[in-house]
Protein backbone atom coordinates (compact mmCIF):
# COMPACT_ATOMS: atom_id res chain seq x y z
CA UNK A 1 0.00 0.00 0.00
CA UNK A 2 2.81 2.34 0.91
CA UNK A 3 4.42 1.75 -2.48
CA UNK A 4 1.19 2.67 -4.28
CA UNK A 5 0.84 5.83 -2.20
CA UNK A 6 4.47 6.76 -2.86
CA UNK A 7 4.00 6.27 -6.63
CA UNK A 8 0.79 8.34 -6.54
CA UNK A 9 2.44 11.15 -4.62
CA UNK A 10 5.47 11.04 -6.91
CA UNK A 11 3.30 11.23 -10.02
CA UNK A 12 1.33 14.09 -8.50
CA UNK A 13 4.54 15.93 -7.64
CA UNK A 14 5.88 15.49 -11.18
CA UNK A 15 2.59 16.62 -12.69
CA UNK A 16 2.49 19.62 -10.34
CA UNK A 17 6.06 20.51 -11.27
CA UNK A 18 5.25 20.46 -14.99
CA UNK A 19 2.14 22.53 -14.35
CA UNK A 20 4.14 25.17 -12.48
CA UNK A 21 6.79 25.15 -15.20
CA UNK A 22 4.14 25.58 -17.88
CA UNK A 23 2.48 28.37 -15.93
CA UNK A 24 5.81 30.12 -15.49
CA UNK A 25 6.66 29.88 -19.19
CA UNK A 26 3.20 31.14 -20.13
CA UNK A 27 3.53 34.08 -17.74
CA UNK A 28 7.00 34.91 -19.07
CA UNK A 29 5.82 34.75 -22.69
CA UNK A 30 2.81 36.94 -21.90
CA UNK A 31 5.02 39.50 -20.15
CA UNK A 32 7.47 39.67 -23.06
CA UNK A 33 4.63 39.90 -25.57
CA UNK A 34 2.90 42.62 -23.54
CA UNK A 35 6.10 44.67 -23.37
CA UNK A 36 6.61 44.30 -27.11
CA UNK A 37 3.01 45.32 -27.84
CA UNK A 38 3.37 48.39 -25.62
CA UNK A 39 6.61 49.36 -27.36
CA UNK A 40 5.03 48.87 -30.79
CA UNK A 41 2.11 51.08 -29.75
CA UNK A 42 4.53 53.72 -28.48
CA UNK A 43 6.47 53.69 -31.75
CA UNK A 44 3.25 53.93 -33.77
CA UNK A 45 2.16 56.91 -31.64
CA UNK A 46 5.55 58.57 -32.10
CA UNK A 47 5.35 58.09 -35.85
CA UNK A 48 1.93 59.74 -35.92
CA UNK A 49 3.11 62.62 -33.76
CA UNK A 50 6.18 63.16 -35.94
CA UNK A 51 3.89 63.30 -38.97
CA UNK A 52 2.05 66.34 -37.61
CA UNK A 53 4.75 68.12 -35.60
CA UNK A 54 8.43 67.92 -36.70
CA UNK A 55 10.84 66.71 -34.03
CA UNK A 56 13.04 69.75 -34.64
CA UNK A 57 10.37 72.00 -33.13
CA UNK A 58 10.39 70.48 -29.64
CA UNK A 59 12.79 68.90 -27.15
CA UNK A 60 10.48 67.45 -24.47
CA UNK A 61 9.14 63.90 -24.13
CA UNK A 62 5.93 64.64 -26.02
CA UNK A 63 4.50 61.16 -25.42
CA UNK A 64 4.54 61.68 -21.67
CA UNK A 65 3.81 65.42 -21.55
CA UNK A 66 0.04 65.13 -21.78
CA UNK A 67 -3.22 66.52 -20.54
CA UNK A 68 -6.46 64.53 -20.34
CA UNK A 69 -9.63 66.49 -21.12
CA UNK A 70 -13.30 65.61 -21.43
CA UNK A 71 -14.62 68.61 -23.39
CA UNK A 72 -12.63 68.45 -26.63
CA UNK A 73 -14.94 66.40 -28.80
CA UNK A 74 -18.42 67.79 -29.27
CA UNK A 75 -21.21 65.52 -28.10
CA UNK A 76 -18.83 63.32 -26.10
CA UNK A 77 -17.37 63.44 -22.60
CA UNK A 78 -15.00 60.56 -23.21
CA UNK A 79 -11.50 61.42 -21.92
CA UNK A 80 -9.13 62.55 -24.66
CA UNK A 81 -5.37 62.95 -24.42
CA UNK A 82 -3.65 66.11 -25.65
CA UNK A 83 0.09 65.81 -26.36
CA UNK A 84 2.08 68.95 -25.60
CA UNK A 85 5.23 69.97 -27.48
CA UNK A 86 7.69 72.31 -25.78
CA UNK A 87 11.09 73.80 -26.61
CA UNK A 88 13.32 74.71 -23.65
CA UNK A 89 10.24 74.59 -21.45
CA UNK A 90 8.21 76.96 -23.63
CA UNK A 91 4.98 75.79 -25.31
CA UNK A 92 5.29 75.02 -29.02
CA UNK A 93 2.18 73.10 -30.06
CA UNK A 94 -0.65 70.90 -28.88
CA UNK A 95 -1.52 67.67 -30.66
CA UNK A 96 -5.15 66.73 -30.18
CA UNK A 97 -7.04 63.55 -30.98
CA UNK A 98 -10.25 64.79 -32.53
CA UNK A 99 -13.23 62.54 -33.25
CA UNK A 100 -16.20 63.51 -35.38
CA UNK A 101 -19.30 61.31 -35.67
CA UNK A 102 -20.34 63.04 -38.90
CA UNK A 103 -18.52 60.84 -41.39
CA UNK A 104 -20.45 59.07 -44.13
CA UNK A 105 -19.95 55.75 -42.33
CA UNK A 106 -19.56 56.88 -38.74
CA UNK A 107 -16.72 58.17 -36.60
CA UNK A 108 -13.58 59.68 -38.09
CA UNK A 109 -10.59 60.03 -35.79
CA UNK A 110 -7.98 62.68 -36.54
CA UNK A 111 -4.71 63.89 -35.09
CA UNK A 112 -4.57 67.70 -35.24
CA UNK A 113 -1.44 69.64 -34.28
CA UNK A 114 -1.87 73.36 -33.58
CA UNK A 115 1.07 75.69 -32.91
CA UNK A 116 0.90 78.40 -30.27
CA UNK A 117 0.32 81.05 -32.92
CA UNK A 118 -2.92 79.27 -33.87
CA UNK A 119 -1.70 77.78 -37.13
CA UNK A 120 -1.98 74.11 -38.00
CA UNK A 121 1.25 72.17 -38.10
CA UNK A 122 -0.36 69.05 -39.53
CA UNK A 123 -3.42 66.82 -39.64
CA UNK A 124 -3.57 63.06 -40.10
CA UNK A 125 -6.41 60.57 -40.21
CA UNK A 126 -6.07 57.89 -37.53
CA UNK A 127 -9.16 55.78 -38.23
CA UNK A 128 -12.38 55.79 -40.24
CA UNK A 129 -14.84 53.55 -42.07
CA UNK A 130 -15.38 55.72 -45.13
CA UNK A 131 -16.01 54.31 -48.61
CA UNK A 132 -12.90 52.83 -50.29
CA UNK A 133 -11.86 54.83 -53.33
CA UNK A 134 -13.95 57.85 -52.27
CA UNK A 135 -14.01 58.91 -48.64
CA UNK A 136 -10.82 57.05 -47.79
CA UNK A 137 -8.85 59.71 -49.65
CA UNK A 138 -8.67 61.57 -46.35
CA UNK A 139 -5.74 59.22 -45.68
CA UNK A 140 -2.34 60.71 -46.53
CA UNK A 141 -1.38 57.43 -48.22
CA UNK A 142 -4.20 57.83 -50.75
CA UNK A 143 -4.31 61.57 -51.32
CA UNK A 144 -2.59 64.77 -50.26
CA UNK A 145 -5.97 66.37 -49.50
CA UNK A 146 -5.39 66.16 -45.73
CA UNK A 147 -2.26 68.31 -46.23
CA UNK A 148 -4.43 71.22 -47.35
CA UNK A 149 -4.82 72.12 -43.66
CA UNK A 150 -1.10 72.76 -43.16
CA UNK A 151 -0.44 76.36 -42.19
CA UNK A 152 -4.13 77.21 -41.97
CA UNK A 153 -5.74 79.02 -39.03
CA UNK A 154 -9.03 80.65 -38.03
CA UNK A 155 -7.77 83.80 -39.78
CA UNK A 156 -6.47 82.13 -42.93
CA UNK A 157 -8.94 81.31 -44.29
CA UNK A 158 -11.38 83.39 -42.27
CA UNK A 159 -13.38 81.41 -39.74
CA UNK A 160 -16.52 81.84 -41.87
CA UNK A 161 -14.77 80.03 -44.74
CA UNK A 162 -14.12 76.83 -42.83
CA UNK A 163 -16.38 74.70 -45.03
CA UNK A 164 -16.05 72.77 -48.27
CA UNK A 165 -16.52 74.76 -51.47
CA UNK A 166 -19.90 73.18 -52.13
CA UNK A 167 -21.10 74.87 -48.93
CA UNK A 168 -19.50 78.17 -49.88
CA UNK A 169 -16.26 77.51 -48.01
CA UNK A 170 -12.56 77.43 -48.81
CA UNK A 171 -11.73 73.72 -48.85
CA UNK A 172 -12.03 71.34 -51.79
CA UNK A 173 -14.37 68.42 -51.49
CA UNK A 174 -13.28 65.00 -52.73
CA UNK A 175 -14.62 63.94 -56.11
CA UNK A 176 -17.69 61.82 -55.49
CA UNK A 177 -17.55 62.45 -51.75
CA UNK A 178 -18.71 65.56 -49.91
CA UNK A 179 -19.92 64.29 -46.54
CA UNK A 180 -16.50 62.95 -45.52
CA UNK A 181 -14.45 66.11 -46.19
CA UNK A 182 -17.24 68.24 -44.73
CA UNK A 183 -16.96 66.25 -41.49
CA UNK A 184 -13.17 66.54 -41.44
CA UNK A 185 -13.16 70.29 -42.10
CA UNK A 186 -15.70 70.78 -39.32
CA UNK A 187 -13.68 68.67 -36.89
CA UNK A 188 -10.43 70.53 -37.62
CA UNK A 189 -12.20 73.88 -37.24
CA UNK A 190 -13.57 72.76 -33.85
CA UNK A 191 -10.06 71.74 -32.80
CA UNK A 192 -8.78 75.22 -33.68
CA UNK A 193 -11.60 76.84 -31.73
CA UNK A 194 -10.94 74.59 -28.74
CA UNK A 195 -7.24 75.48 -28.80
CA UNK A 196 -8.00 79.19 -29.10
CA UNK A 197 -10.23 79.17 -26.03
CA UNK A 198 -8.19 76.72 -23.93
CA UNK A 199 -4.54 77.34 -24.80
CA UNK A 200 -3.66 78.65 -21.35
CA UNK A 201 -5.26 75.63 -19.68
CA UNK A 202 -3.61 73.20 -22.07
CA UNK A 203 -0.12 74.45 -21.21
CA UNK A 204 -0.80 75.38 -17.59
CA UNK A 205 1.40 72.62 -16.17
CA UNK A 206 4.57 70.80 -17.20
CA UNK A 207 3.35 67.55 -15.71
CA UNK A 208 1.13 64.90 -17.24
CA UNK A 209 -2.20 65.24 -15.50
CA UNK A 210 -5.92 64.64 -15.97
CA UNK A 211 -8.15 67.64 -16.52
CA UNK A 212 -8.46 69.72 -13.38
CA UNK A 213 -5.55 67.90 -11.74
CA UNK A 214 -3.08 70.75 -11.80
Amino acid sequence: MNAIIKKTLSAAAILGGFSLLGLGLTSLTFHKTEVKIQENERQALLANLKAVIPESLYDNDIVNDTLEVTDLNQGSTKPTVIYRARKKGEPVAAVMTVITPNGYSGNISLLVAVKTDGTISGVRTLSHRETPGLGDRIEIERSDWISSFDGKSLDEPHQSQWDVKRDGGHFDQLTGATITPRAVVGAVKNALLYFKHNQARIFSTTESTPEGGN
Side-chain angles (χ1 to χ4, degrees):
M1 252 338 243
N2 288 337
I4 295 176
I5 292 174
K6 287 181 179 180
K7 287 183 178 180
T8 301
L9 292 175
S10 177
I14 293 173
L15 182 60
F18 277 114
S19 296
L20 289 173
L21 178 61
L23 183 62
L25 290 173
T26 300
S27 177
L28 179 62
T29 301
F30 175 79
H31 176 70
K32 288 185 176 181
T33 302
E34 185 179 33
V35 170
K36 185 175 182 179
I37 290 174
Q38 290 176 347
E39 179 58 24
N40 288 343
E41 289 176 345
R42 175 183 169 83
Q43 292 304 318
L45 173 59
L46 275 173
N48 284 324
L49 293 172
K50 290 176 184 177
V52 295
I53 179 75
E55 284 185 284
S56 60
L57 295 184
Y58 61 93
D59 57 13
N60 65 316
D61 182 2
I62 191 172
V63 172
N64 291 310
D65 190 344
T66 61
L67 177 71
E68 189 176 276
V69 299
T70 57
D71 58 346
L72 172 57
N73 293 308
Q74 294 185 339
S76 173
T77 58
K78 183 177 180 180
T80 305
V81 175
I82 297 178
Y83 301 92
R84 302 175 293 190
R86 306 176 196 266
K87 187 84 167 185
K88 296 181 179 179
E90 294 299 317
V92 171
V95 185
M96 298 170 278
T97 304
V98 181
I99 300 174
T100 172
N102 299 324
Y104 183 79
S105 299
N107 287 352
I108 298 174
S109 178
L110 306 166
L111 205 60
V112 181
V114 184
K115 294 189 286 188
T116 52
D117 63 0
T119 61
I120 292 175
S121 172
V123 180
R124 287 294 183 273
T125 303
L126 295 177
S127 64
H128 69 88
R129 293 182 294 174
E130 302 303 278
T131 307
L134 295 173
D136 67 348
R137 282 175 289 168
I138 58 175
E139 298 176 26
I140 190 64
E141 294 82 6
R142 301 184 182 280
S143 165
D144 64 354
W145 180 83
I146 201 75
S147 299
S148 64
F149 295 105
D150 295 359
K152 298 295 192 297
S153 69
L154 292 174
D155 296 320
E156 180 56 44
H158 187 271
Q159 185 173 329
S160 62
Q161 291 293 301
W162 273 81
D163 284 303
V164 294
K165 289 181 177 178
R166 180 168 293 181
D167 298 331
H170 170 83
F171 295 91
D172 291 330
Q173 53 264 359
L174 299 170
T175 303
T178 301
I179 294 176
T180 302
R182 181 185 289 138
V184 172
V185 172
V188 176
K189 176 183 178 181
N190 287 336
L192 284 171
L193 288 169
Y194 183 87
F195 183 80
K196 176 182 179 179
H197 296 300
N198 295 277
Q199 183 173 350
R201 176 164 66 98
I202 289 172
F203 292 109
S204 63
T205 175
T206 58
E207 299 178 0
S208 298
T209 178
E211 181 182 30
N214 42 301

